[in-house]
Amino acid sequence: MPTIYRVIPAAPDEVVGWIDQEDGSIYDGAPGGEERYLGQIDYEEGEIYDDAEEFMGWVEDDGQVIASYDDEIEENLGHVDPDGKLYVYDGEGEIQVGQVEDMTDIVEGAAALLFFFDTAA
């Protein structure tokens, strides 16, 4: 089960969510603890939807994560490395903000960026 961590400099990483690969559901909180359903991954299309089934964004084949706001504005939010490291662009470059442990598809990393690390949403 992919587990999403927030990278905290000089401290242990924090578990912020997880993904149920059986149905693509995304949850906040630690697996087995208190959790809240956030949305859904469409593995075939590489797309992510929130809990109201609103389109949030997608991942390109090279790991670039594109956020979609109000069906009109698209933004390159960051990227996912094949090893699950999550990066966002901060205006000067990119910074690692998280990690998806046990990631099996880059769309899982894209979902993690969109739900837990998109400060514009």
Side-chain angles (χ1 to χ4, degrees):
M1 151 185 4
T3 305
I4 303 160
Y5 292 86
R6 179 180 313 278
V7 171
I8 303 172
D13 294 346
E14 170 190 13
V15 175
V16 294
W18 62 281
I19 299 167
D20 182 342
Q21 290 175 306
E22 294 288 320
D23 64 5
S25 296
I26 304 140
Y27 297 91
D28 71 353
E34 283 194 40
E35 58 193 39
R36 181 172 55 105
Y37 173 76
L38 298 177
Q40 198 73 31
I41 294 172
D42 180 334
Y43 282 96
E44 254 183 61
E45 298 296 324
E47 297 176 343
I48 298 98
Y49 297 85
D50 68 13
D51 61 344
E53 298 182 11
E54 295 288 326
F55 181 68
M56 292 183 65
W58 71 93
V59 64
E60 298 285 345
D61 291 337
D62 66 356
Q64 296 299 308
V65 179
I66 311 300
S68 176
Y69 309 105
D70 300 324
D71 295 330
E72 295 177 13
I73 302 170
E74 295 175 357
E75 176 187 2
N76 188 338
L77 179 63
H79 78 273
V80 180
D81 277 354
D83 62 357
K85 291 181 182 173
L86 310 174
Y87 298 89
V88 295
Y89 300 117
D90 70 352
E92 296 179 16
E94 61 183 27
I95 56 171
Q96 184 183 359
V97 293
Q99 171 82 31
V100 179
E101 186 176 282
D102 299 325
M103 184 179 82
T104 60
D105 191 300
I106 60 172
V107 72
E108 295 166 351
L113 274 179
L114 288 166
F115 280 106
F116 297 103
F117 304 104
D118 182 0
T119 58

